[in-house]
Amino acid sequence: MPLYDAAALATALQVELASLGVQRVVPIEAEAAEKPGTATLALLHVRCIDDTQSVVISVVDLATGQHLTRELVLADVQPPERPRALSMATVVLFENAWSHASRHETDESLPDAIHTALLRRLRADLGGTPASASPAPPKATSQPSRTSLEAAALARTFPARGSALLGAELGATPVLARELRLALRAEALLGSQELSDQKGLIANMGLYWFTAGAGLEWVTHSQPQLSLGPFARVGYAIAHASVVRSGFTGKSESGLVSVIGVAATLRAALTSRIDALVGLDLGYMPSGVVFLADLSRSAGMAEVTLAARIGVSVGL
């Protein structure tokens, strides 16, 4: 005589697992269990132990990859009550397997209905909202980064040359993958540098900087959002001399410039589409523009460069 009614167990499981958000329980043959359908969430196998009044419940959770087992003694359980006892023990196994995955907000292996049901059960167990109350909000999931357009005010310095520039930066960040974006940026900056000697001011140098380039950004999905990655830029820089002391002739300098470095940007949401951003970058210039600030000291736009930006980005 069988230890339990298999059909009654399937009915009891449908009732018990519905409280965890499971929509359907389907009895299948052993051969079919080896090739589950793509919509199958988990497999349950109940095996009777020979010459005992015990069964072994095995749960294979296809969503999280866990395999849990439990032995249940049925000798003291009346036959009509055994399907319900087995179903309740099975629900405990599923709840243990799914609770771990549900605690990770970015985990997408479980359907939203199961996350909602687990949260509702947890609230009831802790004495909060009863299980019959309105459903808990679905699990929070991080949304993939959106392509965005950026505009920022920018300050760039050249510490080794004593120069600083102010201006604007425009950019676009197409999405390459969930956590990777292409950063396209262009800068237009200007500044000034005084040329002097022991007697005072000789000339003013007007500094102009125009560059464009690309980089890669690894992006987090937290709020605020952090991005970090390398970049490379090329462009043209001009140092134009304006002589203010008679007897001196100013010499303007210009040329191609290039920068390689690493940039970091922090973005905080203002609205669903608009973010405020602040960023820093550190770069080295393989080529730059240099001029004499006095008879013994050179200045210009060269060597190490630091930049800070503040602005907004708009998601498309």
Side-chain angles (χ1 to χ4, degrees), residues 258-288:
S258 60
V259 186
I260 55 175
V262 62
T265 304
L266 194 65
R267 298 175 177 86
L270 298 179
T271 70
S272 60
R273 294 184 57 198
I274 301 176
D275 293 343
L277 68 86
V278 293
L280 297 172
D281 73 48
L282 171 63
Y284 175 76
M285 299 180 61
S287 59

Side-chain angles (χ1 to χ4, degrees), residues 7-40:
L9 174 59
T11 301
L13 281 172
Q14 181 70 70
V15 174
E16 295 292 338
L17 289 174
S19 66
L20 288 181
V22 176
Q23 297 180 353
R24 193 162 57 127
V25 176
V26 180
I28 58 176
E29 300 296 332
E31 294 79 4
E34 297 178 358
K35 298 179 180 180
T38 55
T40 303

Side-chain angles (χ1 to χ4, degrees), residues 162-181:
S163 302
L165 306 173
L166 295 174
E169 178 185 76
L170 297 178
T173 56
V175 176
L176 299 180
R178 181 177 175 79
E179 296 180 346
L180 188 65
R181 297 189 299 190

Side-chain angles (χ1 to χ4, degrees), residues 232-251:
R233 296 180 189 173
V234 295
Y236 199 77
I238 302 170
H240 178 71
S242 297
V243 177
V244 297
R245 189 192 301 179
S246 61
F248 285 83
T249 300
K251 182 180 180 183

